Amino acid sequence: MTTTPVSSASDQHDSPEASRATRAGGLLPADPVLRLATVLTVVNSLGNGLYFPLGILYFTRIVGLDATAVGVGMTVAGLVGVAAGVPAGRAADRWGARRVGALMWGGTGIATAAYTLVHSYAGFLVTVICATAFQMASRGVQGALYADVLPAATRVEARAYLRMVTNVGMGVGGALGAVALQLDTRGAYLAVIVLNALSFAGPALLVPRMPLASHVRERAALDADAPAVDRWRAVRDLPFLAVTVLNAVLVVQYTLSEVGLPLWIVERTEAPRWTAALLMIVNCVLVALLQVRVARRASQVPSAVRAMGWSGLLLAASCAVYALSAGLSPVWAVLSLTAGAVVQVFAEVLSAAGGWTLGYELADARAHGVYQGVFGAGMSAGMMAGPALVTVTAIAHGTLGWAVLGVVFALAGLAVTPAVRWAQRDGAWRGEPA
């Protein structure tokens, strides 16, 4: 991995005083690297939140494209994005996660800005494929970046903190985006697109300046005299791939919130349409309150495995509660759906924390880029497959479909235990944990 001279900030954020990196006396964390990551995350999530509620409407209402064609184009773009994750991770191992990450975020910003120039379906395909490929490929690179710049003891907690910040930023951005939706003019849509594109400029410009953590510098010194590592081993590491697939199944829960529940509320329950927004607010608030605390308790492999198991069982329970909402009066339907959403939040924060820990601890620390690329590609694939899975189960078959979906979640969570044991038995070649 490419290394560069490191400033004194690196020593500061590796100190014992930074063992709880997310704690600070002010609004921002005490750790300087995490503080910079927080600022960049706030800016980027605000931009994404602005764009999220009106993206597809821009292409259909303003550009004038067919909604089905836009959906097909986004699906194609998503598939390209999944495929791009592993090569991007390999590039991060070769040239450094900071440098490659900057290129990913910069490319996303440029491609997003190009949306303002789209006047045809061909132009839409080119821009959306480029933007989605860059953005989805950056997930694995981002994981490798955190492995490089954050102390190993606190990076899971730090990722939880950044996820909390992302939720808050997306929520505020979404509220501001509603103003553009209400205006419903070409100028308002274009302004939001430009602001979102600019939100990627901060990471692109400042991430290369983040100092490497001390454990990365030490490993680089040791690797200089060590035999060359197989940088593509992650794609043949069957135990790691098994854990990746199981995590991808649990990731379907995000689609459950974004796609499944709105459809279920409208088509199968007597709950008012605004219930979908209520459940999203409940999710954002509870994730912000719980994610960091849960991550602190799932930062080791045994606790992460337990977290994943409980996540699967809680997801199954939430599916059962959602199914009960059909046929109830509007008030009771809202209460049932809200109860299910609360249960799902606990599952979500558990699986997120457990997944981060396992994604790092089961990887070869000498090739975090490609390992995080594989893990990130699995998550992207889970979110890609989610809408179809939720639709053909819960939406198409009601209670029976919810039962099937719940069983799938429960089995995936419980299967993490033997998969991790397999990975640990097969993992002697990986060396010491990062």
Side-chain angles (χ1 to χ4, degrees):
M1 178 174 291
T2 304
T3 58
T4 58
V6 180
S7 70
S8 60
S10 170
D11 299 325
Q12 180 180 347
H13 89 276
D14 278 341
S15 67
E17 289 77 9
S19 62
R20 280 292 174 258
T22 61
R23 293 178 182 172
L27 292 176
L28 295 174
D31 180 276
V33 174
L34 184 56
R35 186 163 58 244
L36 175 58
T38 300
V39 173
L40 297 179
T41 299
V42 167
V43 173
N44 192 226
S45 59
L46 278 171
N48 289 339
L50 273 169
Y51 177 76
F52 183 76
L54 51 78
I56 192 169
L57 295 178
Y58 168 73
F59 292 113
T60 56
R61 290 179 57 80
I62 306 302
V63 180
L65 302 178
D66 176 72
T68 301
V70 170
V72 171
M74 288 183 168
T75 299
V76 172
L79 293 173
V80 174
V82 171
V86 177
R90 175 65 185 92
D93 283 333
R94 182 167 184 177
W95 291 296
R98 295 171 299 173
R99 182 182 302 172
V100 174
L103 291 175
M104 293 291 105
W105 282 302
T108 305
I110 293 171
T112 299
Y115 287 165
T116 61
L117 305 177
V118 171
H119 298 289
S120 66
Y121 189 65
F124 161 73
L125 279 179
V126 171
T127 55
V128 78
I129 286 174
C130 289
T132 305
F134 277 123
Q135 190 162 25
M136 294 180 71
S138 70
R139 288 175 181 162
V141 177
Q142 190 175 47
L145 172 70
Y146 292 146
D148 282 355
V149 302
L150 295 172
T154 60
R155 64 189 172 204
V156 170
E157 182 182 332
R159 290 199 68 170
Y161 177 80
L162 292 174
R163 183 166 186 259
M164 176 196 72
V165 170
T166 298
N167 270 35
V168 173
M170 287 284 289
V172 174
L176 296 175
V179 176
L181 280 176
Q182 185 64 30
L183 292 173
D184 198 30
T185 64
R186 181 179 181 84
Y189 282 90
L190 293 179
V192 166
I193 291 172
V194 171
L195 287 173
N196 186 33
L198 290 174
S199 75
F200 291 96
L205 294 174
L206 296 179
V207 160
R209 302 181 184 182
M210 287 183 171
L212 294 175
S214 62
H215 70 275
V216 176
R217 287 177 283 136
E218 292 167 0
R219 182 173 292 280
L222 293 174
D223 288 349
D225 300 322
V229 62
D230 180 0
R231 297 294 186 181
W232 289 105
R233 173 114 192 207
V235 300
R236 299 189 299 274
D237 185 347
L238 294 182
F240 187 83
L241 291 176
V243 175
T244 297
V245 169
L246 295 174
N247 182 67
V249 173
L250 295 178
V251 162
V252 170
Q253 66 182 287
Y254 300 119
T255 301
L256 185 62
S257 297
E258 296 170 6
V259 178
L261 285 178
L263 288 175
W264 176 256
I265 290 167
V266 172
E267 297 183 10
R268 295 282 192 148
T269 77
E270 298 298 323
R273 294 175 184 270
W274 52 258
T275 306
L278 171 66
L279 300 187
M280 188 63 68
I281 293 170
V282 168
N283 179 277
C284 289
V285 171
L286 290 181
V287 167
L289 292 173
L290 296 173
Q291 187 66 81
V292 173
R293 298 177 185 180
V294 171
R296 288 172 182 161
R297 292 167 173 77
S299 59
Q300 302 297 322
V301 171
S303 55
V305 169
R306 288 193 297 271
M308 299 289 271
W310 275 109
S311 176
L313 294 175
L314 288 172
L315 282 172
S318 69
C319 288
V321 178
Y322 289 144
L324 291 175
S325 64
L328 297 178
S329 67
V331 172
W332 283 106
V334 171
L335 291 175
S336 177
L337 290 164
T338 304
V342 171
V343 175
Q344 185 183 339
V345 166
F346 283 96
E348 180 180 333
V349 295
L350 284 167
S351 66
W356 293 326
T357 297
L358 297 180
Y360 284 128
E361 297 300 325
L362 300 181
D364 187 336
R366 299 164 297 178
H368 261 306
V370 71
Y371 268 87
Q372 299 311 313
V374 168
F375 205 70
M379 294 182 66
S380 297
M383 287 185 277
M384 283 288 300
L389 179 60
V390 172
T391 302
V392 301
T393 54
I395 306 305
H397 299 286
T399 300
L400 177 61
W402 281 115
V404 170
L405 197 59
V407 169
V408 170
F409 284 136
L411 291 177
L414 295 174
V416 170
T417 298
V420 169
R421 287 174 182 165
W422 181 21
Q424 290 176 320
R425 286 197 303 269
D426 194 57
W429 56 271
R430 293 188 180 94
E432 293 298 322

